[in-house]
Amino acid sequence: EMPLAAKASALQAAPGRLSGLAALSQATSFLTQSILPALLHRLDSVATLVTDSASITALFHEVGVNMRFLGVVAENVRVPAVRASLHIEMLARTVKALLRAALGHSTTPVATATSTLRQ
C-alpha cells in the first residue's frame, strides 16, 4: 500500500514506484471499484448502524473513505433510513460551516459566541 497525498500535485514518484498520475489513477480505481462499493454494501445490509454523526464519521474513517464522499454515498445507498441519516449529516455539516463563516471563523464555542452577539 502506498499512502497518497490529499492533492494530486503533491504526488511524487519514488524510485520503483508509479508516477504521480498513475498512482492517482490506480487509487481512484481502487476507491470507486472496491472501497465505496464495500461501504455501500455495509450500509445497505444494515450490518452497521449509522444513527448519528459520530457513527457515520467512524464508519467512513474505518473503511478509509474521506467524508468528502458523503454525498456520493448518500446518493447511492438503497436503505431509506440510512439515506436520511446521511442527508441529516450533510445538512448538519453545512449548517456548521455556515455558522462558522457567520461568526467570522471563530473557534469559540457557538453557545459562547451566541451569548456574545446578544450583548
Side-chain angles (χ1 to χ4, degrees):
E1 292 183 26
M2 181 177 85
L4 295 176
K7 295 182 180 178
S9 61
L11 293 175
Q12 297 177 356
R17 294 225 173 156
L18 297 173
S19 72
L21 290 177
L24 181 62
S25 176
Q26 187 178 46
T28 301
S29 293
F30 184 66
L31 176 71
T32 58
Q33 295 174 10
S34 297
I35 302 293
L36 288 177
L39 174 59
L40 286 166
H41 177 73
R42 279 182 70 174
L43 291 169
D44 285 336
S45 69
V46 195
T48 304
L49 292 178
V50 288
T51 56
D52 61 4
S53 183
S55 63
I56 292 169
T57 303
L59 176 61
F60 272 62
H61 291 170
E62 177 186 322
V63 298
V65 175
N66 191 293
M67 292 305 294
R68 72 181 65 165
F69 290 99
L70 184 59
V72 172
V73 173
E75 186 177 304
N76 289 287
V77 74
R78 293 183 181 138
V79 179
V82 174
R83 184 179 300 118
S85 292
L86 298 176
H87 285 163
I88 291 167
E89 178 65 13
M90 290 188 297
L91 181 61
R93 286 172 175 266
T94 300
V95 169
K96 177 179 155 183
L98 292 171
L99 277 173
R100 283 188 173 164
L103 296 173
H105 303 290
S106 173
T107 57
T108 307
V110 173
T112 305
T114 305
S115 65
T116 303
L117 290 174
R118 289 184 185 159
Q119 296 175 352

